[in-house]
Coordinates of all heavy atoms in Angstrom, one line a residue:
V133 N 1.8 0.4 -5.6 CA 1.0 -0.2 -6.7 C 1.9 -1.2 -7.4 O 3.1 -1.0 -7.6 CB 0.5 0.9 -7.7 CG1 -0.2 0.2 -8.9 CG2 -0.3 1.9 -7.1
C134 N 1.3 -2.4 -7.8 CA 2.1 -3.4 -8.6 C 2.4 -2.7 -9.9 O 1.5 -2.2 -10.6 CB 1.3 -4.6 -8.7 SG 2.0 -5.8 -9.8
S135 N 3.6 -2.8 -10.4 CA 4.0 -2.1 -11.6 C 3.5 -2.9 -12.9 O 3.4 -2.4 -13.9 CB 5.5 -1.9 -11.7 OG 6.2 -3.2 -11.8
R136 N 3.1 -4.2 -12.7 CA 2.7 -5.0 -13.8 C 1.2 -4.9 -14.1 O 0.8 -4.9 -15.2 CB 3.1 -6.5 -13.5 CG 2.9 -7.3 -14.7 CD 3.5 -8.7 -14.5 NE 3.4 -9.5 -15.7 CZ 3.1 -10.8 -15.7 NH1 3.0 -11.4 -14.5 NH2 3.0 -11.5 -16.8
C137 N 0.4 -4.9 -13.1 CA -1.1 -4.9 -13.3 C -1.8 -3.7 -12.6 O -3.0 -3.7 -12.7 CB -1.6 -6.2 -12.8 SG -1.6 -6.4 -11.0
E138 N -1.1 -2.8 -12.0 CA -1.7 -1.6 -11.4 C -2.5 -1.9 -10.2 O -3.4 -1.1 -9.8 CB -2.5 -0.8 -12.4 CG -1.7 -0.4 -13.6 CD -0.8 0.8 -13.4 OE1 -1.2 1.7 -12.6 OE2 0.4 0.8 -13.9
A139 N -2.3 -3.1 -9.5 CA -3.1 -3.4 -8.3 C -2.7 -2.5 -7.2 O -1.5 -2.3 -6.9 CB -2.9 -4.9 -8.0
H140 N -3.7 -2.0 -6.5 CA -3.4 -1.2 -5.3 C -2.9 -2.2 -4.2 O -3.6 -3.2 -4.0 CB -4.6 -0.5 -4.8 CG -4.5 0.1 -3.4 ND1 -3.8 1.2 -3.1 CD2 -5.0 -0.4 -2.2 CE1 -3.9 1.5 -1.8 NE2 -4.6 0.5 -1.3
L141 N -1.8 -2.0 -3.6 CA -1.2 -2.9 -2.6 C -1.3 -2.3 -1.2 O -1.6 -3.0 -0.2 CB 0.2 -3.2 -2.9 CG 0.5 -3.7 -4.3 CD1 2.0 -3.8 -4.5 CD2 -0.1 -5.1 -4.5
G142 N -1.1 -1.0 -1.0 CA -1.1 -0.4 0.3 C -0.5 1.0 0.2 O -0.6 1.7 -0.8
H143 N 0.3 1.3 1.3 CA 1.0 2.6 1.3 C 2.4 2.5 1.9 O 2.7 1.5 2.6 CB 0.1 3.6 2.1 CG -1.1 4.0 1.5 ND1 -2.3 3.3 1.6 CD2 -1.4 5.0 0.6 CE1 -3.3 3.8 0.9 NE2 -2.8 4.9 0.3
L144 N 3.2 3.5 1.6 CA 4.6 3.5 2.0 C 4.8 4.7 3.0 O 4.3 5.8 2.7 CB 5.5 3.6 0.9 CG 7.0 3.8 1.1 CD1 7.5 2.6 1.9 CD2 7.8 4.0 -0.1
F145 N 5.4 4.4 4.1 CA 5.6 5.4 5.1 C 7.1 5.4 5.5 O 7.8 4.4 5.3 CB 4.8 5.1 6.4 CG 3.3 5.1 6.1 CD1 2.7 3.8 5.9 CD2 2.6 6.2 6.1 CE1 1.3 3.8 5.7 CE2 1.2 6.2 5.8 CZ 0.6 4.9 5.6
D146 N 7.6 6.6 6.0 CA 9.0 6.7 6.3 C 9.3 6.5 7.8 O 10.2 7.1 8.3 CB 9.6 8.1 5.8 CG 8.9 9.2 6.5 OD1 7.9 9.0 7.3 OD2 9.3 10.4 6.2
D147 N 8.6 5.6 8.4 CA 8.8 5.3 9.8 C 9.2 3.9 10.1 O 9.0 3.4 11.2 CB 7.5 5.7 10.6 CG 6.3 4.9 10.2 OD1 6.4 4.1 9.3 OD2 5.2 5.1 10.8
G148 N 9.8 3.3 9.1 CA 10.3 1.9 9.3 C 11.6 1.7 10.0 O 12.2 2.7 10.3
P149 N 12.0 0.5 10.1 CA 13.3 0.2 10.8 C 14.5 0.5 9.9 O 14.4 0.6 8.7 CB 13.2 -1.3 11.1 CG 12.4 -1.8 10.0 CD 11.4 -0.7 9.7
P150 N 15.7 0.7 10.6 CA 16.9 0.8 9.8 C 17.2 -0.5 9.1 O 16.7 -1.5 9.5 CB 18.0 1.1 10.9 CG 17.3 1.4 12.1 CD 15.9 0.8 12.0
P151 N 17.9 -0.5 8.0 CA 18.6 0.7 7.4 C 17.8 1.5 6.5 O 18.2 2.6 6.1 CB 19.8 0.0 6.7 CG 19.3 -1.3 6.2 CD 18.3 -1.7 7.3
T152 N 16.7 1.0 6.0 CA 15.9 1.7 5.0 C 15.0 2.8 5.6 O 14.8 3.8 4.9 CB 15.0 0.8 4.2 OG1 13.9 0.3 5.1 CG2 15.7 -0.4 3.5
G153 N 14.5 2.7 6.8 CA 13.6 3.6 7.4 C 12.3 3.6 6.7 O 11.4 4.5 7.0
M154 N 12.0 2.7 5.9 CA 10.7 2.6 5.1 C 9.8 1.5 5.7 O 10.3 0.5 6.2 CB 11.0 2.3 3.7 CG 11.7 3.4 2.9 SD 10.8 4.9 2.8 CE 11.8 6.0 3.7
R155 N 8.5 1.8 5.6 CA 7.5 0.8 6.0 C 6.5 0.7 4.9 O 5.6 1.5 4.7 CB 6.8 1.2 7.3 CG 5.7 0.2 7.7 CD 5.1 0.5 9.1 NE 4.6 1.9 9.3 CZ 3.4 2.3 9.2 NH1 2.4 1.4 8.9 NH2 3.1 3.6 9.4
F156 N 6.6 -0.4 4.2 CA 5.6 -0.7 3.2 C 4.4 -1.4 3.9 O 4.6 -2.5 4.4 CB 6.1 -1.7 2.1 CG 7.1 -1.1 1.2 CD1 8.5 -1.0 1.5 CD2 6.7 -0.6 -0.1 CE1 9.4 -0.4 0.6 CE2 7.6 0.0 -0.9 CZ 9.0 0.1 -0.6
C157 N 3.3 -0.7 4.1 CA 2.1 -1.2 4.8 C 1.2 -1.8 3.8 O 0.6 -1.0 3.0 CB 1.5 0.0 5.6 SG 0.2 -0.5 6.7
I158 N 1.1 -3.1 3.7 CA 0.4 -3.7 2.6 C -0.8 -4.5 3.0 O -0.7 -5.2 4.0 CB 1.5 -4.7 1.9 CG1 2.7 -3.9 1.5 CG2 0.8 -5.4 0.6 CD1 2.6 -2.8 0.5
N159 N -1.8 -4.5 2.2 CA -3.0 -5.3 2.5 C -2.8 -6.8 2.2 O -2.3 -7.1 1.1 CB -4.2 -4.8 1.6 CG -4.7 -3.4 2.0 OD1 -5.4 -3.3 3.0 ND2 -4.4 -2.5 1.1
S160 N -3.1 -7.6 3.1 CA -3.0 -9.1 2.9 C -3.8 -9.5 1.6 O -3.4 -10.4 0.9 CB -3.5 -9.9 4.1 OG -2.6 -9.8 5.1

Side-chain angles (χ1 to χ4, degrees):
V133 178
C134 174
S135 66
R136 188 167 184 220
C137 69
E138 302 285 319
H140 168 75
L141 305 172
H143 291 89
L144 176 59
F145 302 96
D146 63 354
D147 60 0
T152 66
M154 296 292 118
R155 174 174 56 100
F156 288 85
C157 186
I158 306 299
N159 290 288
S160 289

